[in-house]
Amino acid sequence: MNPASSTSATTPPPIIDCDIHPAASKAYPVEPFIPEEFREAMRQGMGGEPGHGHANPFGVTRRDASCDDPHQVGRDHLDRYGIAYAVLQPPGMRVSLTHNIDVGSGKARAWNDWQINTWLAADRRYLGSVCVNVRDPDRAAAEIHRAGEHPQMVQVNVGGDSDDLYGHRRYFSIYQACADMDLPLCLHPGSEGSLDSSTPVGRPSTYFEWHTGIPITFQAHLISMVTEGVFAKFPRLRLVLCEGGVAWLAHTCWRMDKNFKALRATTPWLKRLPSEYVFEQVRLTTQPLEEPANPEHQLQLFEMIQAHRTLMFATDFPHWDFDDPTRVFPRKIDAALRRRIMYDNAAELYGLPPADEVTREARGALTQV
Amino acid sequence: MNPASSTSATTPPPIIDCDIHPAASKAYPVEPFIPEEFREAMRQGMGGEPGHGHANPFGVTRRDASCDDPHQVGRDHLDRYGIAYAVLQPPGMRVSLTHNIDVGSGKARAWNDWQINTWLAADRRYLGSVCVNVRDPDRAAAEIHRAGEHPQMVQVNVGGDSDDLYGHRRYFSIYQACADMDLPLCLHPGSEGSLDSSTPVGRPSTYFEWHTGIPITFQAHLISMVTEGVFAKFPRLRLVLCEGGVAWLAHTCWRMDKNFKALRATTPWLKRLPSEYVFEQVRLTTQPLEEPANPEHQLQLFEMIQAHRTLMFATDFPHWDFDDPTRVFPRKIDAALRRRIMYDNAAELYGLPPADEVTREARGALTQV
């Protein structure tokens, strides 16, 4: 089955996968892209990032898959499911945790050049995420302007763990650069608990507990960005909440809207209901999608969070909790809604061709493999 | 209107209010109940609790109400709405934050004796919450056995902010005492951010932001208690999540259940799906109830969190975001579900008489006023 390269009438609609995790490998190493001035520092261990101490005891990568060769992933993942585009979430999303700020910024640049020269060069279906060191906002802004010029770079990545809530103005130069370059900001987890506890009241014991709590950081950052007025002040900014769950968005919006009524005098920059900023400027990726026992609840939840415009499909390939595009949604999901989640919402956000032009596009991409 | 003291056929069903906030006052001071050995320490300022720095700019108490006189509240709040029972959430819920551990435990005892000798003595409709210092778990357990003997003491109170997640075994002697005394544990917010940030990634800027994020701590504590096996190890323990929102319970349960499938080998004490422990052993109070623009969403959410057995009504009298029992629910709510939320769920949890016996009960209570 290779729907992306077929033009038959039975071709299933194309898919955009907003979250795959390429790894460096012997064939595609990152070292050549480390700026020369930081190579000695890296060799001396000054580029290490703190760990959070919560390892998945069964491994994070699926035992039947790997993601360290763009050509193999093109066949094993993109071709297999008819994925027209896949957004890379590179290892560089953790660079902001590096204690040596210059090394952190150097690593961000390296992961960007690595993406451009390996994965993005190998196949036009891959789309890149600009890595930045949020502890060095001005340099991060410059890097967004530099690496963001590449036509396959579609967003700017930051990690869940951070020194400060993302509504703080220390990060505003990053948001200005995103808005200037028309690149959404993408928040991805993976490092919560590296700098401080991953909850406000202590450290989880197990990976199970830690992983279940990932939406906690996402809620904190989103509430911060909305109430501090990031979306009001940067109306062109778009935020992608990637791999942090989706169902919590309903109660977070309801709670913000309710409090806004009584407390809006303290946030005079908010001219509309908090949820209006969210539904207009925030998008979420599906994986890991919550799976209530009653599939009806899933569909109700989709309506509550306006999934027809906010939700974008993702697999998290090749990780352990990978969501299979053929199985992840309830059977009763409306076909038009499914298409918007599987393709249209991401295509509109990232400026990709509409679904009906995709077969040709994807075929073009495949000839490069 | 005084439905609680009327026996007419048009009497509306009785209400249990699970969250009212009595304050000490000149007429009802707490000082006489401070154990003598700590009075000097209190006078010297050793009993102060750290603050969290997020004041509601408009004040926390409604300008048209106060809650420092049990008789006045009986008329102004209980009689007005036909509230058959009201559970006190006394100021003592913050004592665990006191740096001086002995003073903290002394204050817990004082707030219990204050409740018993003022509010509980004044009106049988008031039900008390045993305050404990969770930093001194053995003394807390002893206090639960002592103060919990009073027939109007119906639960044990702890605050959202804490040194550790409530799944940690340092708290197990408290849970054992709760189970032994058949008293639910009640988690109430109000102090998040006093010990450390109220989010894992920095401190909110405004009360609006801080208050919106209160469910963050609740999620962290609940995930901890479930995955660490508190409910499996203390099958008689019941947990009340008070004033922390309710709509987040759906996604938290879904996420726990999904992760349980892959990661349950790391929590071998869990013999059932995480959500099964939750729906059997956890209850939530309504206020502040999320209010989606589409009331249908509220009712769908109620079904997702099994509101017919988990949800218990509360007003948070006399606080700024008080929920009026006559207005808080969507009009289309099923009458039987409404009755369970307004009375039955709390009556079953706290061992109170069934609704049809309440008029007589409440009349009895009123004669004491």
Side-chain angles (χ1 to χ4, degrees):
Chain A
M1 183 183 83
N2 188 344
S5 61
S6 152
T7 52
S8 85
T10 58
T11 302
I15 293 173
I16 298 173
D17 181 350
C18 293
D19 181 11
I20 78 166
H21 287 278
S25 63
K26 226 172 202 173
Y28 304 95
V30 70
E31 285 72 15
F33 304 102
I34 302 281
E36 187 157 0
E37 69 215 272
F38 298 122
R39 284 198 197 144
E40 189 55 28
M42 295 288 289
R43 237 190 312 269
Q44 295 188 10
M46 294 163 65
E49 297 146 8
H52 52 74
H54 293 285
N56 185 322
F58 309 107
V60 158
T61 299
R62 278 169 49 188
R63 292 180 192 168
D64 64 339
S66 64
C67 196
D68 58 4
D69 180 325
H71 301 289
Q72 193 210 326
V73 172
R75 292 185 297 270
D76 185 38
H77 182 58
L78 308 193
D79 294 353
R80 181 197 298 259
Y81 294 108
I83 292 168
Y85 297 99
V87 182
L88 308 181
Q89 302 283 348
M93 70 182 70
R94 289 174 50 89
V95 298
S96 299
L97 303 176
T98 311
H99 294 313
N100 183 319
I101 292 179
D102 289 310
V103 170
S105 298
K107 283 156 65 181
R109 186 185 173 104
W111 283 114
N112 295 333
D113 289 340
W114 174 80
Q115 287 178 81
I116 289 169
N117 288 284
T118 59
W119 287 69
L120 302 191
D123 194 322
R124 251 202 299 155
R125 291 177 295 182
Y126 296 122
L127 304 170
S129 300
V130 177
C131 302
V132 293
N133 180 6
V134 299
R135 278 180 172 155
D136 196 352
D138 291 339
R139 190 117 64 118
E143 180 64 9
I144 292 168
H145 281 276
R146 187 192 73 88
E149 279 290 350
H150 191 282
Q152 283 163 274
M153 282 291 191
V154 294
Q155 64 185 8
V156 173
N157 259 36
V158 296
D161 209 10
S162 62
D163 294 315
D164 255 324
L165 289 156
Y166 282 133
H168 279 221
R169 53 212 72 190
R170 65 189 283 185
Y171 303 120
F172 279 14
S173 56
I174 295 174
Y175 307 150
Q176 186 64 59
C178 287
D180 290 345
M181 295 295 287
D182 210 13
L183 294 171
L185 184 80
C186 174
L187 174 63
H188 188 289
S191 49
E192 284 79 355
S194 300
L195 298 176
D196 209 332
S197 306
S198 61
T199 88
V201 281
R203 293 188 180 270
S205 296
T206 58
Y207 178 86
F208 177 4
E209 181 183 352
W210 173 82
H211 186 275
T212 304
I214 285 173
I216 284 174
T217 314
F218 276 62
Q219 290 163 56
H221 281 311
L222 183 66
I223 297 167
S224 169
M225 292 180 79
V226 171
T227 57
E228 295 263 28
V230 168
F231 299 109
K233 291 165 187 170
F234 299 95
R236 288 168 53 92
L237 183 70
R238 296 294 179 271
L239 173 69
V240 178
L241 299 170
C242 182
E243 206 180 324
V246 309
W248 56 265
L249 187 67
H251 80 82
T252 299
C253 283
W254 297 342
R255 204 166 161 99
M256 281 196 290
D257 285 356
K258 185 168 182 177
N259 276 347
F260 177 74
K261 292 177 192 167
L263 300 166
R264 65 182 180 274
T266 61
T267 55
W269 40 83
L270 296 183
K271 303 300 181 198
R272 306 158 64 189
L273 272 178
S275 64
E276 292 180 40
Y277 293 105
V278 170
F279 292 130
E280 194 151 315
Q281 293 177 255
V282 178
R283 300 293 175 262
L284 302 96
T285 67
T286 53
Q287 188 283 335
L289 197 62
E290 299 88 354
E291 290 171 19
N294 180 346
E296 202 63 47
H297 292 169
Q298 181 71 279
L299 300 175
Q300 291 168 349
L301 210 290
F302 281 177
E303 197 194 289
M304 295 175 192
I305 65 167
Q306 304 201 10
H308 66 280
R309 58 171 169 157
T310 60
L311 213 53
M312 314 194 300
F313 177 71
T315 62
D316 197 30
F317 181 85
H319 286 172
W320 65 281
D321 50 349
F322 169 84
D323 277 347
D324 184 319
T326 62
R327 291 161 190 263
V328 69
F329 295 113
R331 280 189 202 175
K332 283 176 56 186
I333 191 170
D334 174 73
L337 174 60
R338 193 175 196 283
R339 271 197 301 273
R340 291 209 59 81
I341 297 172
M342 296 305 274
Y343 190 89
D344 300 345
N345 285 336
E348 288 166 15
L349 179 74
Y350 295 129
L352 302 170
D356 53 17
E357 292 177 24
V358 155
T359 310
R360 183 164 36 83
E361 267 290 316
R363 230 189 7 253
L366 278 170
T367 60
Q368 296 189 1
V369 177
Chain B
M1 181 182 88
N2 187 343
S5 61
S6 153
T7 51
S8 86
T10 57
T11 302
I15 293 173
I16 297 173
D17 180 350
C18 293
D19 181 11
I20 78 165
H21 286 278
S25 63
K26 227 173 202 171
Y28 304 95
V30 69
E31 285 72 16
F33 304 103
I34 302 280
E36 188 157 0
E37 68 213 272
F38 298 123
R39 282 195 198 148
E40 190 55 28
M42 297 286 291
R43 237 190 312 268
Q44 297 190 8
M46 294 162 66
E49 298 146 9
H52 53 73
H54 293 285
N56 185 324
F58 310 107
V60 157
T61 298
R62 279 168 49 189
R63 291 177 194 171
D64 64 340
S66 64
C67 196
D68 58 4
D69 180 324
H71 301 287
Q72 192 209 326
V73 172
R75 292 185 297 270
D76 186 38
H77 182 58
L78 308 193
D79 294 353
R80 180 197 299 258
Y81 294 108
I83 292 168
Y85 298 98
V87 182
L88 308 180
Q89 302 283 346
M93 71 182 71
R94 289 175 49 89
V95 297
S96 300
L97 303 176
T98 311
H99 294 313
N100 183 319
I101 292 179
D102 289 309
V103 169
S105 299
K107 283 156 67 182
R109 185 185 173 104
W111 284 112
N112 295 334
D113 288 340
W114 175 80
Q115 287 178 82
I116 289 169
N117 288 283
T118 58
W119 286 69
L120 302 190
D123 194 321
R124 250 202 300 156
R125 291 177 296 181
Y126 295 122
L127 305 171
S129 299
V130 177
C131 301
V132 292
N133 180 6
V134 300
R135 278 180 173 154
D136 195 352
D138 291 340
R139 192 115 65 117
E143 181 64 9
I144 292 167
H145 281 276
R146 186 192 74 88
E149 280 290 348
H150 191 282
Q152 282 164 275
M153 282 290 192
V154 295
Q155 63 186 6
V156 173
N157 258 36
V158 296
D161 208 10
S162 61
D163 295 314
D164 255 324
L165 289 156
Y166 282 133
H168 279 222
R169 54 212 72 189
R170 66 190 281 184
Y171 302 120
F172 279 14
S173 55
I174 295 173
Y175 306 150
Q176 185 64 58
C178 287
D180 289 345
M181 294 296 288
D182 209 12
L183 293 171
L185 184 80
C186 174
L187 175 63
H188 189 287
S191 48
E192 284 79 354
S194 300
L195 298 176
D196 209 332
S197 306
S198 62
T199 89
V201 282
R203 291 189 182 271
S205 296
T206 57
Y207 179 85
F208 177 3
E209 181 183 352
W210 172 82
H211 187 276
T212 304
I214 285 174
I216 285 174
T217 315
F218 276 62
Q219 291 163 56
H221 281 309
L222 183 65
I223 296 167
S224 169
M225 292 180 79
V226 171
T227 58
E228 296 264 27
V230 169
F231 299 109
K233 291 166 186 168
F234 299 95
R236 287 168 55 93
L237 183 70
R238 297 293 179 272
L239 173 69
V240 177
L241 299 170
C242 182
E243 205 179 326
V246 310
W248 56 265
L249 188 68
H251 80 81
T252 300
C253 283
W254 297 343
R255 204 166 161 99
M256 280 196 289
D257 284 356
K258 186 168 181 176
N259 276 347
F260 177 73
K261 291 177 192 167
L263 301 167
R264 66 181 180 274
T266 61
T267 54
W269 41 82
L270 296 183
K271 303 301 182 196
R272 306 159 64 190
L273 273 177
S275 65
E276 293 180 38
Y277 291 105
V278 170
F279 291 129
E280 194 151 316
Q281 291 176 257
V282 178
R283 300 293 175 262
L284 301 96
T285 66
T286 53
Q287 189 282 336
L289 197 63
E290 299 89 354
E291 290 171 19
N294 180 345
E296 202 63 48
H297 292 169
Q298 182 71 277
L299 300 176
Q300 290 168 350
L301 210 291
F302 281 179
E303 196 195 290
M304 295 176 193
I305 64 167
Q306 304 200 10
H308 66 280
R309 58 171 169 157
T310 61
L311 213 53
M312 313 193 301
F313 177 71
T315 62
D316 197 30
F317 181 86
H319 287 172
W320 65 283
D321 51 349
F322 169 84
D323 277 348
D324 185 319
T326 63
R327 292 162 187 263
V328 68
F329 296 111
R331 279 189 205 175
K332 282 176 56 184
I333 190 170
D334 175 73
L337 173 61
R338 194 176 194 284
R339 271 198 300 274
R340 291 210 58 81
I341 297 172
M342 297 304 275
Y343 191 89
D344 300 345
N345 285 336
E348 289 167 13
L349 179 73
Y350 295 129
L352 302 170
D356 53 17
E357 291 177 24
V358 156
T359 311
R360 183 164 34 84
E361 267 289 317
R363 232 190 6 253
L366 278 171
T367 60
Q368 297 191 359
V369 177

